[in-house]
Amino acid sequence: MFTAILWDYDGTLANTPVKNIAVTRAVLGRLDPALLDPLPEALTSLAAYQAANYRWRNWRELYQHALRVPADRLDEAGALWGPCQLADRTLPPLFGGLLEVLPRLAALAPMGICSQNDSGNIRAALAAHGAADCFAAVVGHADVDFARQKPDPAAFLACLDRLGLREGRFAYIGDHAGDIAFGRNAQAALRAIGRAAEVVCVAAAWGGAPSVDLAAADAVAARPADLPDLLADL
């Protein structure tokens, strides 16, 4: 039994690479058009973008190493993400089966989202798919300091605060090795401040991550439809 179920967004709830490639190009174009000439390999195709996204642990590493953004301009690039994302009207699809599963899980425990995506963009996409009511809290990249993005646990603690929860047993569902680290860090941070907490990390294999990246998870769900039984057994 879980006190709350928390989710990643990109690659877990929404299949976002097409939108994110376009937004990333817009960010680099605003930051410094020279960053697009030549076009970074990571932005040349969906496959290249996915490979780079799973290779690096977080957006800072992705931007610095795969997109050639100077370290001293990462915060500037991060601040451009929200406006560029909201300007792009692409509606990413939710992964198949989630619209059936989400109401079932929301009936069992309050749910929230911890993401490096923009919270307004997330809410708009969920509303368009009829799934907004399933989530009582959404924490996006602008809701925590740029220096404390995942896998730093700040977003997890902020999400619990918005849910009105201090301690308990939590599931965190994500598609990236960084999501597993995020869940582990959140448990450590909660216990460090004296809260009785357990975070169970569930890997969403449907997002396309290499299986080796998900090996450290407590459980792996091959498809959204597996989640109700899987969570019940944990």
Side-chain angles (χ1 to χ4, degrees), residues 100-151:
E100 293 74 31
V101 166
L102 290 174
R104 294 175 59 190
L105 297 180
L108 298 176
M111 299 205 300
I113 294 172
C114 305
S115 176
Q116 294 178 76
N117 207 304
D118 180 83
S119 59
N121 181 71
I122 294 172
R123 289 187 180 281
L126 292 174
H129 288 296
D133 290 345
C134 294
F135 297 93
V138 177
V139 175
H141 77 95
D143 298 313
V144 296
D145 189 271
F146 284 138
R148 300 194 65 196
Q149 300 292 323
K150 295 193 299 185

Side-chain angles (χ1 to χ4, degrees), residues 51-86:
N53 183 54
Y54 286 123
R55 178 180 180 186
W56 302 108
R57 292 180 300 173
N58 54 56
W59 76 270
R60 286 180 172 272
E61 290 190 2
L62 176 68
Y63 271 50
Q64 185 174 358
H65 301 300
L67 304 177
R68 306 190 299 266
V69 175
D72 61 358
R73 300 198 71 184
L74 287 173
D75 283 352
E76 189 179 350
L80 289 169
W81 178 262
C84 289
Q85 191 172 63
L86 292 173

Side-chain angles (χ1 to χ4, degrees), residues 1 17 36 69 85 115 119 159 167 191 212:
M1 188 122 182
L36 296 173
V69 175
Q85 191 172 63
S115 176
S119 59
C159 193
E167 54 188 32
R191 292 179 176 179
V212 66

